[in-house]
Amino acid sequence: EIKSLADSKGSSPDKIVAAVEKENADTIIFCEGSLTNMQIIELLQILPNNCKALFYENSAESIIGSNDKNTKGIFISANV
């Protein structure tokens, strides 16, 4: 199930992490432009270990992510 966990405009990283924990989310997708890079880096450091991070890029219309530097990540494209 896909849910918007928080309105990122004005939401602190702590509030977003609290929403992730409340919903027991196993994946969070960061959308380009919704948070600053600094906010995303801060969030990545405090997200629960079981929560994977993915990234959506508007210009590429894709979602990318990798949770292990030693394994291949994922790439999901809207273009088929």
Side-chain angles (χ1 to χ4, degrees), residues 8-72:
S8 62
K9 303 290 187 204
S11 290
S12 72
D14 289 336
K15 287 182 183 178
I16 294 172
V17 169
V20 166
E21 291 172 343
K22 179 182 175 192
E23 296 295 332
N24 198 28
D26 62 359
T27 304
I28 185 169
I29 301 172
F30 294 104
C31 298
E32 177 183 40
S34 62
L35 297 169
T36 67
N37 288 337
M38 183 60 106
Q39 288 173 310
I40 292 171
I41 290 167
E42 185 178 342
L43 272 164
L44 291 172
Q45 294 173 348
I46 60 176
L47 279 176
N49 290 336
N50 66 324
C51 187
K52 299 175 186 117
L54 300 174
F55 303 89
Y56 174 76
E57 184 179 337
N58 291 326
S59 61
E61 296 182 348
S62 63
I63 297 173
I64 60 170
S66 176
N67 293 309
D68 184 339
K69 67 179 183 177
N70 297 316
T71 60
K72 189 176 181 179

